Amino acid sequence: MTPSPLTPPASSSAKHRKPHPVATRPGPRTTLAVLVGRATSATVRRLGIGGGTSLPGLIARGIDPKLTTRLSAQLRHGSIVVTGTNGKTTTSGMVGAVLRGAGMRVWQNREGSNLARGIATALLKHAHASGSLRDGGDAAFVFELDEAAFRRVLPELRPKVVLVTNLFRDQLDRYGEVDTVAERWREGLKRVDATTTLIANADDPSVAALADIHPGPVLFYGVNEAPSVVEGDARIQVIDTRTCPRCRGLLSYSVRYYSHVGHWSCTHCGFARPTPTVFASAVTLASLDGAQLTLTRPDGTAQARITLPGLYNVYNAVAAAAVGYVEGTPLSPAVEALARFSPAFGRAERIQARGRTVQILLAKNPTGLNEVLRALGADGRRHHLLMLLNDRAADGEDVSWIWDADFEQVPALAERVSAGGTRAFDMALRLKYAGLTPYAVESDIPKAFERALEATPVGESLYVIPTYTAMLAVRGELSRLGFAPRYWELPQDE
């Protein structure tokens, strides 16, 4: 199927976009679901047993299985769904920043609870006891959506825009191989309206191929010119897509930025990287301090800057700018919003603790870890590291992926490294094979963090590289010690 051409935005300002019609008044089942869900959220937080980001939605959906559909239909400016293996939370945050910069009211599931129950909980936060969204639903909602929940939840949201960032091997015991995830995405996209715009990463072959089955408009984004992994030291590079998504012929690359992301073409059928409509060029990476780039959209070109590390965050920023274009936001405020954007909790977040700077760099799969290490090594300095490996359900119980990641980078960039988490000794063994003996090995994350922080000289930085639940644990410890607010206490939507 040939993708439908993208229709340029009808307005240059998001403030003047025509709102969607609002759904009819909610029925008694929806009202009861909202009442019980909101009461559950208040109780959970009052008892201090969590952020109430999941359980309220689970209970409310049990009362009204169509709750998500009924509430999201009230959004006057529709919803935007962001999915992908890496970068969902950061990209969703950037999308929200770009839209707010143009004057839109934007709601989000900021806490990152992105399964069906988390999506419902996020909507409940903005609902009155009557079952109606507050402010008459006069907002756009940016939803971060889990890859596995995509097929089920996407039709419930009926989004205006679907953004797919990338597809890497991740949590094989939960998601399966990349081809399985791609098939779930295809099934979900087949069930959306033909009015839904798909925004896809042109530089990821599996993502670009989603345009083949999408019934509506498609916009591609990508990077046209940036530092390439081919030009650097690439002892180990995980490549999760080696064959053409159409014919299974071998892929070749004129440039490869990282893993299988780059300028690709099939050696058999000729399927090749689509020409992106929104793209970055002249990218300059500044280690952990961010990046400079030239951002081009059909409505102009501008010099842009982000304060997040790595080329992967350049992709996140370009994706957010692409959503802004589809939503009719001008280029200038989009660039300004990206420059001001601060990272979501646990994603390059910086926290001051006892005279040190703690920076948390989430890494939950081989490609993500390789790129974090690549960013850390870019400045040629040696760093204090705490590497945390958990094997809980949200991390993936199979931790064999650490043997595919390029830990051989670590000795050259680490002054001191400690290992922690439920699989701390697996991490220590992997570091040993990479040529480095950890300073400390401690399964208890609060204790591991305390030892690593004390071993970091005052005035210097401790870089914590955790898997997902380990990130929540170390973030919780920083909150318990009074160095950071709990993640559900961070600034909320208007």
Side-chain angles (χ1 to χ4, degrees):
M1 179 184 296
T2 302
S4 305
L6 179 74
T7 302
S11 170
S12 61
S13 174
K15 294 181 180 179
H16 305 298
R17 291 183 64 81
K18 184 178 180 180
H20 282 185
V22 179
T24 57
R25 185 177 181 81
R29 175 173 286 191
T30 302
T31 300
L32 178 61
V34 170
L35 282 170
V36 174
R38 288 181 62 86
T40 302
S41 179
T43 300
V44 167
R45 296 194 180 195
R46 188 176 299 117
L47 294 175
I49 57 177
T53 61
S54 181
L55 183 61
L58 176 65
I59 293 174
R61 283 176 65 93
I63 297 170
D64 182 2
K66 295 186 177 180
L67 177 70
T68 297
T69 299
R70 298 187 203 280
L71 291 181
S72 63
Q74 299 177 41
L75 292 164
R76 296 184 65 195
H77 300 282
S79 60
I80 297 160
V81 168
V82 179
T83 197
T85 306
N86 292 338
K88 293 184 294 294
T89 302
T90 298
T91 304
S92 298
M94 287 179 166
V95 169
V98 166
L99 299 184
R100 288 189 187 92
M104 291 182 69
R105 175 186 283 121
V106 182
W107 297 337
Q108 297 180 248
N109 55 333
R110 289 178 184 269
E111 296 89 351
S113 185
N114 57 18
L115 298 173
R117 63 192 68 174
I119 299 298
T121 300
L123 284 162
L124 285 171
K125 286 170 46 182
H126 299 283
H128 292 298
S130 65
S132 297
L133 291 181
R134 63 180 175 85
D135 300 316
D138 186 17
F141 212 122
V142 180
F143 292 102
E144 172 194 336
L145 185 57
D146 178 83
E147 303 96 293
F150 184 85
R151 174 177 55 184
R152 175 185 177 189
V153 179
L154 194 68
E156 298 181 18
L157 294 173
R158 297 183 63 192
K160 288 172 57 183
V161 177
V162 175
L163 165 62
V164 184
T165 60
N166 48 59
L167 178 55
F168 298 111
R169 179 161 44 104
D170 185 41
Q171 299 184 46
L172 294 180
D173 51 348
R174 177 170 172 241
Y175 294 129
E177 289 287 354
V178 290
D179 288 345
T180 303
V181 177
E183 180 57 32
R184 291 183 185 137
W185 287 349
R186 286 191 287 268
E187 291 174 6
L189 286 170
K190 287 177 182 177
R191 299 173 64 189
V192 300
D193 295 339
T195 57
T196 299
T197 297
L198 171 65
I199 300 178
N201 186 347
D203 297 350
D204 187 318
S206 297
V207 173
L210 296 174
D212 289 351
I213 56 87
H214 180 60
V218 177
L219 180 145
F220 292 106
Y221 73 93
V223 172
N224 280 6
E225 181 189 355
S228 166
V229 72
V230 175
E231 298 167 357
D233 183 3
R235 292 177 300 274
I236 298 178
Q237 271 290 316
V238 179
I239 301 178
D240 293 327
T241 299
R242 295 179 180 272
T243 59
C244 174
R246 286 183 179 172
C247 75
R248 298 305 173 189
L250 289 176
L251 294 174
S252 66
Y253 286 80
S254 59
V255 60
R256 185 161 57 85
Y257 295 126
Y258 63 94
S259 187
H260 56 264
V261 174
H263 298 182
W264 52 271
S265 63
C266 176
T267 58
H268 181 67
C269 73
F271 181 41
R273 172 192 186 248
T275 301
T277 301
V278 178
F279 58 88
S281 56
V283 175
T284 302
L285 301 177
S287 185
L288 295 172
D289 296 326
Q292 304 278 350
L293 62 139
T294 300
L295 177 64
T296 299
R297 306 193 314 187
D299 56 341
T301 298
Q303 299 304 305
R305 177 179 178 271
I306 60 171
T307 58
L308 278 67
L311 184 58
Y312 56 97
N313 276 312
V314 172
Y315 273 97
N316 296 339
V318 177
V323 174
Y325 174 69
V326 170
E327 287 293 300
T329 66
L331 179 59
S332 179
V335 168
E336 292 171 4
L338 291 173
R340 293 193 304 268
F341 179 77
S342 57
F345 74 96
R347 282 81 171 176
E349 184 182 25
R350 287 185 172 96
I351 298 169
Q352 299 302 313
R354 297 181 189 153
R356 292 93 164 168
T357 299
V358 178
Q359 187 162 11
I360 306 173
L361 300 161
L362 177 68
K364 58 192 181 71
N365 52 46
T367 296
L369 180 56
N370 284 352
E371 288 307 295
V372 165
L373 295 176
R374 183 182 174 191
L376 278 167
D379 60 7
R381 294 187 291 116
R382 300 175 71 87
H383 305 285
H384 300 273
L385 308 181
L386 171 59
M387 308 196 77
L388 301 175
L389 179 64
N390 274 5
D391 62 351
R392 306 192 190 283
D395 305 291
E397 296 174 6
D398 180 358
V399 299
S400 62
W401 64 267
I402 63 176
W403 294 93
D404 294 329
D406 188 9
F407 279 86
E408 281 64 27
Q409 296 183 63
V410 177
L413 59 86
E415 180 68 29
R416 179 184 287 113
V417 59
S418 301
T422 59
R423 301 296 287 268
F425 289 92
D426 293 78
M427 177 62 76
L429 180 63
R430 180 65 183 93
L431 288 166
K432 183 73 172 178
Y433 270 87
L436 186 66
T437 300
Y439 166 75
V441 183
E442 173 58 67
S443 298
D444 183 83
I445 288 180
K447 291 180 181 177
F449 173 72
E450 185 69 29
R451 292 185 67 177
L453 186 65
E454 288 303 312
T456 302
V458 172
E460 296 193 22
S461 295
L462 171 64
Y463 296 96
V464 182
I465 306 175
T467 55
Y468 182 71
T469 65
M471 179 271 288
L472 295 179
V474 78
R475 188 60 173 68
E477 181 64 10
L478 282 161
S479 298
R480 188 188 71 80
L481 294 171
F483 299 126
R486 292 176 293 186
Y487 65 85
W488 60 85
E489 295 174 340
L490 294 170
Q492 298 297 305
D493 303 326
E494 298 177 359

